[in-house]
Amino acid sequence: MIKVENLQKNYRDFSLNCSLEVAPGTITGLIGPNGVGKSTTFKAILGLISVDGGTVKVLGKNADSLTAEDKQHIGVSLSESGFSGYLTIKGIISILKQMYPAFDKAKFTAMCTQFKLPADKQIKDFSTGMKAKLKVLTAISHNASLLILDEPTTGLDVAAREDILDMLRTYMEEDENRSILISSHISSDLEGLCDDLYLLHNGSILLHEELDTLLNTYAILKVDAAQYNALDKNYILYRKKENFGYTCLTNERQFYQENYPDIVIEKSTIDDLILMVIKGEKR
Amino acid sequence: MKGLLTKDLQIVLMQKKFLILLTGIACFMGMTTEDSTFLIGYISFMFTILALGTISYDDFDNGYTFLFTLPITKTGYVVEKYLFSLLISLASGVFSTVLSLLISLVKAGTVDIKFQVVTALMILAVCLIMLFIMIPLRMKFGADKSKIVMISIVGIFAIFGYILKAVISKLQHIIPINFTKIIAAVSSWNELSVILFTFLICAVIMGITMKISINIMKKKQL
């Protein structure tokens, strides 16, 4: 669905160099702090910016040569951009009807009603949650085979976030060949949704792993200096100096559980992972 | 293309209160001034501004970024803007001409249809030329900067014209050009020829500026 190979984009004070892939039938997450290149990666995938190197293929075509017909198979939600705030849902329906032959007006209208999105109110007067829901509803309204969602849950309360995630789960259940590329700051959203995750930091992919592997085999080890010295460090990916000694990230939880029963071993969450990769030092 | 036209029409119609007020003012002016054709220019010019305004609405609040994820291309977007401008200008031209004819009829009991239509066509051509020059400026510089650039261009043309005039008057001894004759020749053309010639200029400007606009949009980093 998406194949990014050695994508390079250079700005005066920032360089992006990353590779990633989204396979059919999967939900791939892109995580990382603000300003690490997530939106730039999304823009390159959507052909919105020129790139300085590498290739970006979307639905088998170069991103910069996607035709209007190709784009009919892609649904997009961007965090900082959407339809003009001066339009209404009623107006958007007639625009989407003209733009997407597969636009499902009945379903779109029903879901707008379900989420209490007023049809005649200008979008600029919507709450943050309403705007976010409308963006995702728009993206899934035309039977797209690929969804590209940049921070679709940012700034939302738990209930609104869960509504959006449910929408996406249902969308994937409807057709097993659909794919989603999603970014989010809120790691718990991605934990319950994605099949695999890419961690982007300072313009580079630092980690790519399937979510099941991340949650089942990765762990945080909390050790004092003596324990750290005695530790087999072959499976330590990152370490961070702490007051009590070290915090270490491993991708072989079972190995340490079996061989070092005295040390504190905690299942790692995605937040732990991000913190270790960003603030820790690589081994 | 249809989707973009629908969007732009919605943005223009969103300003219907302004359009009604505009028509009211135009009617009042038409009724109180001697020459009701004034309102053709007034309405056409205001609609021209509305058509141009749709570019600002697209650009506002990072709007372009999302817009170009929709099934449109940058070339298609530019072509649509020119088509929409043409349609709006034509619609406002027809609307204002009919209004002017009706006001003339009410005021004087008779109406010079030919004069009013010729006036309307010339105003339409001027509005279109203005639109076709402003579209690439709006796309490149945005609403505020494009006005400054437009004023600068007019200034540059004025200075260029002044220099050209001075140069020609100096060169007249070497290359004899009789401007009086040229002006007299153009004045002797019939109205149809003048209109056709003006619209030909319009078409040429449209072709050139459309190409420039496409290049501007293709280079735009969203």
Side-chain angles (χ1 to χ4, degrees):
Chain A
M1 285 288 190
I2 298 176
K3 191 162 189 175
V4 178
E5 285 181 306
N6 301 316
L7 162 65
Q8 286 172 38
K9 179 74 187 171
N10 301 313
Y11 295 101
R12 203 169 47 188
D13 51 356
F14 173 75
S15 287
L16 175 73
N17 188 340
C18 76
S19 300
L20 65 87
E21 193 170 350
V22 179
T26 60
I27 304 180
T28 297
L30 187 61
I31 53 171
N34 282 329
V36 295
K38 294 194 299 287
S39 293
T40 307
T41 308
F42 274 75
K43 284 180 181 180
I45 290 169
L46 290 163
L48 298 171
I49 52 170
S50 62
V51 297
D52 300 320
T55 55
V56 182
K57 298 249 184 203
V58 180
L59 303 174
K61 279 185 146 183
N62 282 331
D64 57 0
S65 52
L66 288 172
T67 63
E69 286 73 29
D70 297 327
K71 289 183 184 175
Q72 284 172 358
H73 303 291
I74 305 172
V76 180
S77 164
L78 302 174
S79 56
E80 286 174 2
S81 179
F83 272 115
S84 167
Y86 293 91
L87 296 171
T88 60
I89 286 184
K90 225 181 210 173
I92 286 176
I93 288 173
S94 47
I95 295 167
L96 293 174
K97 218 161 62 179
Q98 304 282 357
M99 286 192 166
Y100 297 98
F103 175 65
D104 190 340
K105 186 186 168 187
K107 189 178 166 190
F108 182 78
T109 313
M111 292 193 82
C112 286
T113 311
Q114 184 193 329
F115 289 119
K116 297 186 176 64
L117 303 179
D120 291 315
K121 199 173 176 180
Q122 286 185 321
I123 300 167
K124 69 180 170 66
D125 298 325
F126 280 17
S127 68
T128 310
M130 288 159 92
K131 282 179 191 166
K133 283 175 190 169
L134 177 62
K135 283 179 186 177
V136 176
L137 278 180
T138 304
I140 65 172
S141 67
H142 49 86
N143 197 24
S145 51
L146 172 64
L147 296 185
I148 297 176
L149 313 170
D150 188 14
E151 306 279 359
T153 54
T154 297
L156 304 185
D157 59 53
V158 183
R161 269 163 42 209
E162 205 44 51
D163 282 343
I164 286 178
L165 297 175
D166 278 343
M167 251 192 269
L168 298 177
R169 287 187 194 104
T170 311
Y171 193 73
M172 287 299 281
E173 282 163 13
E174 286 169 0
D175 185 342
E176 61 182 20
N177 287 318
R178 287 173 173 168
S179 300
I180 300 178
L181 173 64
I182 182 170
S183 72
S184 178
H185 283 105
I186 305 151
S187 54
S188 59
D189 288 354
L190 298 183
E191 273 181 20
L193 186 73
C194 294
D195 296 300
D196 63 331
L197 278 180
Y198 285 87
L199 174 58
L200 190 64
H201 185 54
N202 288 338
S204 304
I205 298 288
L206 294 187
L207 192 118
H208 172 225
E209 197 65 85
E210 287 193 7
L211 201 82
D212 286 346
T213 312
L214 272 179
L215 298 178
N216 294 326
T217 67
Y218 278 62
I220 297 290
L221 315 180
K222 291 184 172 171
V223 290
D224 58 31
Q227 285 172 322
Y228 180 76
N229 287 334
L231 213 58
D232 179 345
K233 299 180 187 69
N234 279 328
Y235 308 109
I236 300 292
L237 303 174
Y238 289 86
R239 71 167 191 184
K240 189 155 71 90
K241 188 95 178 77
E242 307 280 4
N243 290 335
F244 58 82
Y246 291 96
T247 303
C248 305
L249 177 73
T250 177
N251 59 349
E252 289 290 344
R253 188 170 72 210
Q254 206 175 345
F255 171 79
Y256 290 100
Q257 273 174 337
E258 287 169 1
N259 296 293
Y260 300 91
D262 295 338
I263 63 171
V264 178
I265 300 176
E266 292 172 353
K267 274 192 167 187
S268 69
T269 62
I270 294 176
D271 283 335
D272 295 329
L273 190 85
I274 295 173
L275 277 173
M276 283 303 296
V277 171
I278 292 165
K279 295 199 168 169
E281 58 179 296
K282 199 172 182 179
R283 289 257 328 138
Chain B
M1 182 77 77
K2 271 194 209 165
L4 285 175
L5 287 170
T6 308
K7 171 188 69 62
D8 285 346
L9 188 64
Q10 282 180 26
I11 286 172
V12 168
L13 290 179
M14 186 187 78
Q15 300 163 77
K16 54 182 174 286
K17 279 182 192 162
F18 169 72
L19 294 175
I20 293 166
L21 183 70
L22 171 75
T23 310
I25 293 169
C27 287
F28 176 76
M29 287 165 103
M31 291 297 282
T32 52
T33 53
E34 205 172 299
D35 182 7
S36 66
T37 55
F38 172 79
L39 74 87
I40 300 175
Y42 178 67
I43 290 180
S44 300
F45 183 74
M46 294 311 271
F47 269 79
T48 301
I49 292 170
L50 285 180
L52 260 181
T54 60
I55 299 175
S56 305
Y57 276 97
D58 291 342
D59 191 17
F60 180 69
D61 214 8
N62 299 318
Y64 273 144
T65 312
F66 176 72
L67 196 64
F68 286 105
T69 68
L70 296 173
I72 55 164
T73 59
K74 287 176 175 173
T75 305
Y77 174 78
V78 172
V79 172
E80 183 273 339
K81 277 295 166 217
Y82 277 80
L83 182 63
F84 184 72
S85 302
L86 265 170
L87 293 173
I88 282 281
S89 302
L90 268 173
S92 64
V94 170
F95 172 65
S96 56
T97 309
V98 170
L99 208 61
S100 172
L101 287 170
L102 286 173
I103 287 173
S104 301
L105 202 64
V106 169
K107 266 168 51 183
T110 59
V111 60
D112 185 350
I113 295 178
K114 190 184 167 192
F115 170 72
Q116 298 234 8
V117 170
V118 168
T119 307
L121 286 169
M122 291 309 289
I123 289 169
L124 175 66
V126 171
C127 283
L128 286 176
I129 289 171
M130 199 184 83
L131 263 172
F132 296 154
I133 292 172
M134 281 301 285
I135 287 174
L137 293 178
R138 229 2 121 86
M139 287 177 177
K140 175 82 180 168
F141 300 104
D144 293 333
K145 277 189 195 163
S146 68
K147 284 174 200 155
I148 298 165
V149 175
M150 184 70 176
I151 292 165
S152 309
I153 289 174
V154 172
I156 290 166
F157 269 98
I159 294 167
F160 180 73
Y162 180 78
I163 294 168
L164 193 70
K165 191 184 158 207
V167 170
I168 287 171
S169 64
K170 291 261 183 203
L171 287 176
Q172 225 159 14
H173 313 293
I174 309 157
I175 313 160
I177 305 167
N178 192 335
F179 281 101
T180 322
K181 264 191 181 174
I182 294 170
I183 292 163
V186 173
S187 305
S188 68
W189 290 3
N190 62 29
E191 285 136 345
L192 185 66
S193 306
V194 174
I195 288 167
L196 285 176
F197 182 70
T198 315
F199 276 95
L200 182 72
I201 293 173
C202 245
V204 172
I205 293 174
M206 185 177 90
I208 295 167
T209 65
M210 192 189 282
K211 187 125 185 56
I212 295 169
S213 300
I214 289 170
N215 281 335
I216 289 169
M217 287 314 293
K218 280 190 173 170
K219 281 182 190 161
K220 229 180 204 340
Q221 298 289 295
L222 304 167

